[in-house]
Amino acid sequence: MKKNYVLDTNVLLHDPHAIFKFEDNDVILPIFVIEEIDHFKREGSERGRNARTVARLIDEQRARNGSLAKGVPLEQGGTLRVALPSRRDALRIALDPTKADAAILQVALDVRDAAPEMPTILVTMDTNLRVRADALGVTSENFENQRVQVDQLDLGLRDIQVPAETIDAFYNKKEAPLPEGVELNPNVCVQLRDAADPSATALGRYDAAKNCVVPLKVPHEGVMGIRPRNREQAYALDLLLDDNIKLVTLVGKAGTGKTLLALAGALRRTIDDGAYSRVLISRPIIPLGRDLGYLPGTVDEKLNPWLQPIYDNLDLLLGSGSTKKGMSLPKLVDDGLIQVEPLTYIRGRSLPHQYLIVDEAQNLTPHEVKTIITRSGQGTKVVLTGDPFQIDNPYVDSASNGLTIATDRFKGERLAGHVVLLKGERSELAELASNLL
């Protein structure tokens, strides 16, 4: 059955192409949404860019197909219409009539009452607006087009029971076939377990090209002085050291070692092995809690508080200040082998033969992650790390952020690998706090 979808402003700011993603149904934009879009378009942020994109797309539909007040046809079969509420004071008892949310709700009520034979649904990413809509008898939904629930996210891990001879062959021949009927995504990390003796196991990774499980290629001595403390960390290091895997996503709670492992893999492949020309490390500039306002000093001095966690990890990996080649962190930075910068400056760049790490990627929108990945040139490896439950960006959540979306979209690709780090290794206290608080 055909439906009427009334869209809130936050849907369009999250996905500028949302108006084209409701199949053959009718899309209604309250005129107050257009006003809010006009307000946001002046911003230099990703939200501002999305607002400008939305305005351009809507105007293109108007120029190509006619009056938006009457409704214009969309390619997928539905229509797009800009609507005004019949009156602004209808919700005076329940809501402040001067608020845009009240006007958007009034448009949804008008559309519902004008066409009672068609379901009318208000689509908004605002939880409180959905609650208010429900209280007023308006059906509401979240925008689900780009949402991946964290509990449904692929762990990137499989535990497979096999005969004892399969494990013996795995150690002897350095590969093992998949059991009959087992299907895996490329680069899924596998723990082979003896069906008769569950304590006998072997760790490997599924090689889609060979259609078999191959051993992990993690040195026994560890990487840059870091040895994996659990199987997930071993899987992560294997993905980070394999140059055939161009995109690695590491998801895990605080203290699981996401950033440290990514930096260790980057330093090994770049500084020690020379496989990449530079390690480029970046993270979004989003504060935790109340912001302190503008920081004094040069650009580097302003950015130092945001990037200090990365420098802390680099100092740890480089030990007392030098690698085995006698190169200190300042020297590596001065020589251009390590570059640490905010994501603000990455748009428009092309990054060939680099090891790119994006920390705290859960604070990015799907479009921002797309922008970052599409910067990668020939021979570049991209690593995204983050925790979907530690989001400081008010415009994304655990299901709509760029990290989880990218992880889900790339799970079937041979160029991508993913693992969820489950156990905190920072300290006993940090692990307890992560679980209890």
Side-chain angles (χ1 to χ4, degrees):
M1 177 184 291
K2 200 168 186 178
K3 302 180 180 70
N4 288 319
Y5 285 99
V6 181
L7 306 191
D8 191 9
T9 311
N10 48 42
V11 174
L12 300 178
L13 292 176
H14 178 75
D15 182 359
H17 295 84
I19 56 177
F20 305 116
K21 297 181 178 178
F22 290 89
E23 300 177 339
D24 61 346
N25 299 295
D26 294 337
V27 176
I28 296 97
L29 302 180
I31 195 168
F32 306 99
V33 168
I34 307 299
E35 290 183 358
E36 290 188 306
I37 292 294
D38 185 68
H39 170 74
F40 288 119
K41 74 178 184 182
R42 295 171 178 82
E43 295 185 3
S45 62
E46 184 68 24
R47 182 173 61 178
R49 288 189 288 271
N50 287 348
R52 292 189 291 273
T53 300
V54 169
R56 185 178 67 254
L57 291 174
I58 294 174
D59 187 56
E60 287 175 356
Q61 295 300 315
R62 178 198 60 77
R64 184 183 303 123
N65 298 316
S67 173
L68 290 169
K70 298 178 180 179
V72 298
L74 297 173
E75 291 184 4
Q76 60 270 29
T79 63
L80 173 67
R81 178 164 62 93
V82 175
L84 285 76
S86 58
R87 55 191 183 277
R88 287 298 301 268
D89 60 348
L91 304 177
R92 179 175 295 167
I93 294 176
L95 301 168
D96 183 352
T98 63
K99 298 293 185 182
D101 281 356
I104 292 171
L105 276 173
Q106 184 61 58
V107 169
L109 287 167
D110 291 349
V111 172
R112 182 199 64 182
D113 296 342
E117 72 283 357
M118 289 178 62
T120 296
I121 301 168
L122 172 63
V123 183
T124 177
M125 300 178 73
D126 185 340
T127 304
N128 289 328
L129 185 55
R130 291 199 299 272
V131 172
R132 284 178 282 176
D134 181 73
L136 294 169
V138 176
T139 303
S140 63
E141 292 180 358
N142 201 345
F143 182 58
E144 299 288 347
N145 186 263
Q146 293 194 88
R147 293 182 66 81
V148 178
Q149 299 299 331
V150 178
D151 56 359
Q152 299 175 0
L153 193 66
D154 186 6
L155 296 178
L157 312 168
R158 286 292 299 272
D159 197 314
I160 301 176
Q161 288 192 344
V162 296
E165 52 267 24
T166 300
I167 293 182
D168 292 338
F170 177 75
Y171 283 116
N172 294 329
K173 299 180 180 180
K174 305 302 180 184
E175 64 179 43
L178 289 179
E180 188 76 23
V182 175
E183 295 183 1
L184 299 177
N185 287 324
N187 300 315
V188 165
C189 300
V190 177
Q191 179 168 279
L192 300 175
R193 190 181 298 275
D194 188 342
D197 180 12
S199 63
T201 61
L203 301 183
R205 174 159 53 88
Y206 175 59
D207 187 326
K210 297 180 179 179
N211 192 30
C212 64
V213 179
V214 297
L216 303 182
K217 298 178 180 178
V218 179
H220 292 292
E221 69 276 11
V223 178
M224 302 299 296
I226 301 298
R227 299 184 65 181
R229 296 186 176 183
N230 54 59
R231 65 171 188 173
E232 290 81 17
Q233 289 192 351
Y235 291 145
L237 277 177
D238 182 65
L239 296 172
L240 292 165
L241 295 173
D242 191 338
D243 296 336
N244 294 317
I245 300 177
K246 302 301 183 182
L247 174 66
V248 177
T249 51
L250 302 181
V251 176
K253 60 186 177 182
T256 52
K258 305 179 297 294
T259 304
L260 186 63
L261 292 170
L263 291 171
L267 292 176
R268 165 58 66 87
R269 296 300 295 140
T270 304
I271 308 302
D272 289 351
D273 301 338
Y276 300 91
S277 62
R278 178 173 58 180
V279 178
L280 177 58
I281 312 156
S282 195
R283 68 192 325 236
I285 306 300
I286 297 177
L288 168 64
R290 183 172 296 177
D291 197 355
L292 294 175
Y294 290 105
L295 298 174
T298 64
V299 172
D300 289 340
E301 291 171 337
K302 290 175 184 292
L303 295 177
N304 189 65
W306 305 100
L307 304 177
Q308 190 59 46
I310 294 174
Y311 288 116
D312 292 342
N313 281 292
L314 287 172
D315 284 334
L316 174 63
L317 290 169
L318 297 177
S320 60
S322 63
T323 66
K324 67 180 184 179
K325 295 182 179 181
M327 301 176 71
S328 65
L329 176 56
K331 179 172 176 53
L332 292 172
V333 173
D334 291 340
D335 291 345
L337 292 173
I338 295 179
Q339 182 177 348
V340 184
E341 65 178 34
L343 284 172
T344 309
Y345 305 125
I346 202 169
R347 177 176 289 273
R349 296 182 62 182
S350 180
L351 306 171
H353 306 291
Q354 299 187 32
Y355 201 115
L356 170 60
I357 299 174
V358 181
D359 195 28
E360 303 290 351
Q362 79 278 0
N363 282 318
L364 302 173
T365 67
H367 183 71
E368 287 172 326
V369 168
K370 177 181 178 180
T371 300
I372 292 166
I373 296 176
T374 54
R375 296 306 94 207
S376 59
Q378 199 66 242
T380 288
K381 185 183 185 81
V382 180
V383 179
L384 306 177
T385 71
D387 178 5
F389 293 107
Q390 292 193 96
I391 293 179
D392 305 309
N393 184 347
Y395 299 103
V396 297
D397 58 27
S398 62
S400 64
N401 67 88
L403 176 63
T404 54
I405 298 298
T407 298
D408 184 68
R409 296 290 192 272
F410 278 89
K411 64 184 179 183
E413 301 297 328
R414 294 190 181 186
L415 289 178
H418 163 69
V419 65
V420 174
L421 299 169
L422 302 173
K423 185 180 179 182
E425 299 288 357
R426 179 174 291 158
S427 68
E428 184 178 357
L429 176 60
E431 172 70 357
L432 194 60
S434 180
N435 293 330
L436 297 180
L437 299 178

